[in-house]
Amino acid sequence: MTSEEAKKRLCLALDVDRLSDAVRLVETLRDRVTLFKIGFQLFTKEGPGAVQAVQSLGGRVFLDLKYHDIPNTVAAAAREAVNMGVYMFNVHASGGSDMMRAAVEAAASQSQKSNTTMPVILAVTVLTSLNDRILTDELNINNQLAHQVTHLAALAKGCGLDGVVASPQEITAIRERCGHGFTILTPGIRPPWIKNIKDKDEDDQKRTATPSQAIRLGADYIVVGRPILKADDPAEAADNIVRDMTSGC
């Protein structure tokens, strides 16, 4: 993998409070990162204007709102995601097959109607903050975490979704179950130099890997937030992550 290819597969999580901070990060890093994740924090504060701001600076947007509701509600949200022109958005696979199909059908219909490119639609399998104990003791799901992830991935594929959001630890199992044409976006990325990042003790990710490990395992995209956002030099941190990604091939 070349560094240019790695840059296209690195997604920066814009987990900041203010649009001005997000804009500053995109302006600083757009030569190093092409895909930017907008999640609950920034979208709740700034709304669709955050999407428009990133796009105006040449960035692609992964709208990480994890839609999880009745099928009609999710279908309506999917249409609006298309109208915003996002590159990618996601839903919770645990919303079930009817909900996931509704999202795909609504997005496809709206894309055709507006003559725009169909967004990549991913399903969230099991959050990277969860582990086997939480899955069993708190959520009462009597299935090993890895099996639950692959089950939900296969369900999403059967509903026509493009891929899943899953931790690095489940990439191999998903590939075996869903094949190589199925997109895997991987959060929980922690570079080898993470000890230099502030607030490491507050890290709530439980199933993690380094950038090179995730790429070697077969991730199509990796999502990185705090290791770049909290670095003394975010540009240098992004460069180091790109280098680590290329070493994974």
Side-chain angles (χ1 to χ4, degrees):
M1 180 193 301
T2 66
S3 61
E4 290 304 312
E5 291 170 334
K7 291 174 184 178
K8 293 178 182 178
R9 296 170 64 175
L10 172 59
C11 177
L12 174 65
L14 293 174
D15 295 333
V16 294
D17 294 326
R18 296 176 296 189
L19 183 57
S20 59
D21 291 336
V23 167
R24 176 181 52 80
L25 283 163
V26 176
E27 289 176 336
T28 300
L29 299 170
R30 59 184 170 181
D31 291 334
R32 297 167 170 86
V33 183
T34 63
L35 181 61
F36 297 88
K37 182 177 81 70
I38 295 177
F40 294 118
Q41 182 177 356
L42 183 59
F43 196 84
T44 300
K45 179 71 180 296
E46 302 289 352
V51 175
Q52 295 165 1
V54 172
Q55 292 169 334
S56 71
L57 293 170
R60 299 177 298 166
V61 172
F62 165 32
L63 188 63
D64 180 29
L65 299 183
K66 302 179 180 71
Y67 299 138
H68 188 176
D69 213 307
I70 63 173
N72 283 339
T73 299
V74 170
R79 284 191 288 271
E80 294 308 319
V82 171
N83 290 338
M84 281 189 282
V86 302
Y87 173 74
M88 178 186 294
F89 72 89
N90 58 4
V91 304
H92 263 293
S94 56
S97 59
D98 287 347
M99 187 205 76
M100 287 192 283
R101 288 194 185 96
V104 172
E105 291 168 3
S109 174
Q110 190 64 23
S111 296
Q112 184 177 23
K113 180 180 177 181
S114 58
N115 195 27
T116 56
T117 302
M118 173 84 167
V120 175
I121 306 178
L122 304 180
V124 177
T125 52
V126 177
L127 297 172
T128 52
S129 59
L130 304 184
N131 56 24
D132 278 307
R133 182 196 62 77
I134 296 172
L135 203 69
T136 302
D137 295 348
E138 298 182 15
L139 302 183
N140 198 31
I141 296 175
N142 296 315
N143 200 1
Q144 290 186 342
L145 191 146
H147 292 164
Q148 182 70 5
V149 169
T150 55
H151 166 72
L152 291 173
L155 183 66
K157 182 178 181 180
C159 293
L161 276 73
D162 300 292
V164 291
V165 180
S167 92
Q169 296 181 15
E170 289 90 49
I171 293 173
T172 300
I174 293 170
R175 283 279 175 247
E176 291 175 353
R177 183 80 177 266
C178 298
H180 287 277
F182 196 62
T183 299
I184 300 177
L185 180 143
T186 305
I189 300 300
R190 292 295 176 258
W193 58 92
I194 187 66
K195 62 180 179 296
N196 298 324
I197 305 300
K198 300 172 185 176
D199 298 333
K200 180 177 182 295
D201 291 341
E202 297 178 11
D203 195 348
D204 53 4
Q205 305 276 14
K206 292 183 170 61
R207 306 185 332 269
T208 65
T210 67
S212 60
Q213 288 170 338
I215 294 298
R216 192 178 302 116
L217 288 166
D220 294 291
Y221 299 93
I222 63 170
V223 178
V224 180
R226 282 167 282 190
I228 292 177
L229 300 181
K230 293 185 176 295
D232 292 333
D233 186 339
E236 181 183 22
D239 286 339
N240 288 336
I241 287 170
V242 167
R243 278 193 288 271
D244 198 59
M245 291 171 71
T246 61
S247 72
C249 300

